[in-house]
Amino acid sequence: MSLLETKDLTIRFGGLTAVNAVDMKVERGEIRGLLGPNGAGKTTLFNLISGIYIPTSGKIFFEGKDISKLRPYQITKLGIARTFQNILLFDRMSVVDNVMVGRHVRMKTGLVSSMLRTPAMKRDENECRARAEELVKFVGLESKMRMQAGSLPYGQKRLLEIARAMASEPTLLILDEPAAGMNDMESDALIQLIYKIRDLGITVILVEHNMKVAMGISDNVTVLNYGQKIAEGKPEVVQNDPIVIEAYLGKGGRKKK
């Protein structure tokens, strides 16, 4: 059984079909690249998987369970976490506090315990903070632990988003353009970080326009164009597929204007 599977997955916005009958299987322990030109439907597909959008038709299965109509918080509890194309952090909160926010779905105490500051709640909060600090160190931001998130350079904000997503203890981590805004050195470090995440037993799907990152790290890639899957397989095979080349460059191999 695949970790994640979409069957005939479709979503329409009025007369626009943004994702059209996409079938995809992602195996446990895999790094899967989701590629395609701008407007191909990649982020929309992520929004469907993470519960932000409800499909018009088709199904999404995670560990064999139909999650097509679940809410985002329910999907997070099941073990799917994600980052966003546009960074969404609490700029005035510290780095470690941002990561703690991502762990709220795993905390055991509820609202009443929080209001009364019970011993159980304090233990839960201490455990949450300790785990958040571990994740800040894991992504290489240990020296920034107490800084406000808004003061971080752009590339480090990307790393913080990854740490916050990991705080929910995902089985599947979805990364939307994680290398955006990074220089070559930062991109190389990101590749090594994603390998470390996979070594923890976490499956990764990423959208990435940096082809060095996408093709260099992915075990398999799925390519979308105009909301449809046009190719799938090993990066070295897919990148030489004439249909993929045409989608990116246009007919005759000339770059689209």
Side-chain angles (χ1 to χ4, degrees):
M1 179 176 59
S2 300
L3 179 66
L4 177 76
E5 182 176 4
T6 68
K7 291 185 177 180
D8 201 31
L9 190 61
T10 300
I11 187 168
R12 299 184 183 92
F13 301 102
L16 173 67
T17 302
V19 171
N20 190 6
V22 171
D23 293 331
M24 180 175 70
K25 291 183 178 181
V26 178
E27 306 304 328
R28 194 179 299 273
E30 180 181 1
I31 298 175
R32 171 67 62 95
L34 183 62
L35 310 180
N38 288 332
K42 305 180 297 296
T43 294
T44 302
L45 181 58
F46 277 3
N47 287 341
L48 286 164
I49 294 169
S50 57
I52 294 174
Y53 296 153
I54 300 297
T56 304
S57 61
K59 298 288 185 182
I60 307 166
F61 296 93
F62 180 65
E63 295 188 316
K65 178 182 176 65
D66 185 353
I67 64 169
S68 308
K69 296 183 179 181
L70 296 185
R71 296 178 181 272
Y73 77 89
Q74 294 172 312
I75 290 173
T76 301
K77 283 186 175 181
L78 288 176
I80 298 178
R82 67 169 294 183
T83 63
F84 291 84
Q85 187 175 356
N86 298 315
I87 296 174
L88 299 174
L89 296 173
F90 297 99
D91 285 346
R92 295 187 180 182
M93 290 172 58
S94 72
V95 166
V96 70
D97 284 344
N98 265 271
V99 179
M100 288 178 69
V101 169
R103 194 164 175 79
H104 75 280
V105 297
R106 301 300 173 203
M107 294 185 72
K108 304 177 184 67
T109 50
L111 178 61
V112 174
S113 295
S114 297
M115 292 175 63
L116 297 177
R117 300 292 297 175
T118 63
M121 183 271 165
K122 292 178 181 178
R123 286 194 300 272
D124 205 9
E125 188 176 77
N126 289 338
E127 290 173 6
C128 177
R129 181 170 295 277
R131 179 56 180 154
E133 290 178 351
E134 289 175 4
L135 288 168
V136 171
K137 295 174 185 177
F138 181 80
V139 300
L141 296 178
E142 182 175 2
S143 64
K144 316 290 185 180
M145 188 90 66
R146 311 301 171 193
M147 288 178 57
Q148 285 190 345
S151 66
L152 295 177
Y154 191 84
Q156 292 183 355
K157 289 181 178 179
R158 289 278 177 197
L159 298 178
L160 176 54
E161 263 212 320
I162 292 173
R164 186 176 62 184
M166 290 182 64
S168 67
E169 298 182 3
T171 306
L172 173 64
L173 178 62
I174 297 174
L175 303 176
D176 199 346
E177 297 193 31
M182 291 186 174
N183 59 36
D184 287 345
M185 184 177 298
E186 289 171 330
S187 295
D188 289 342
L190 174 68
I191 289 173
Q192 296 308 311
L193 175 61
I194 294 173
Y195 280 136
K196 284 170 60 180
I197 292 170
R198 196 261 303 274
D199 290 344
L200 293 174
I202 299 171
T203 303
V204 178
I205 309 178
L206 67 144
V207 164
E208 187 50 67
H209 288 293
N210 183 327
M211 288 298 105
K212 177 184 175 184
V213 174
M215 292 296 188
I217 198 171
S218 300
D219 299 306
N220 294 287
V221 297
T222 300
V223 185
L224 301 182
N225 195 29
Y226 297 112
Q228 294 183 305
K229 185 174 77 173
I230 61 172
E232 192 168 65
K234 297 295 181 184
E236 60 271 19
V237 175
V238 169
Q239 68 184 351
N240 293 313
D241 187 318
I243 297 175
V244 174
I245 293 171
E246 182 178 327
Y248 271 96
L249 301 179
K251 292 183 179 180
R254 294 181 180 179
K255 190 174 183 179
K256 291 181 179 179
K257 294 182 180 180

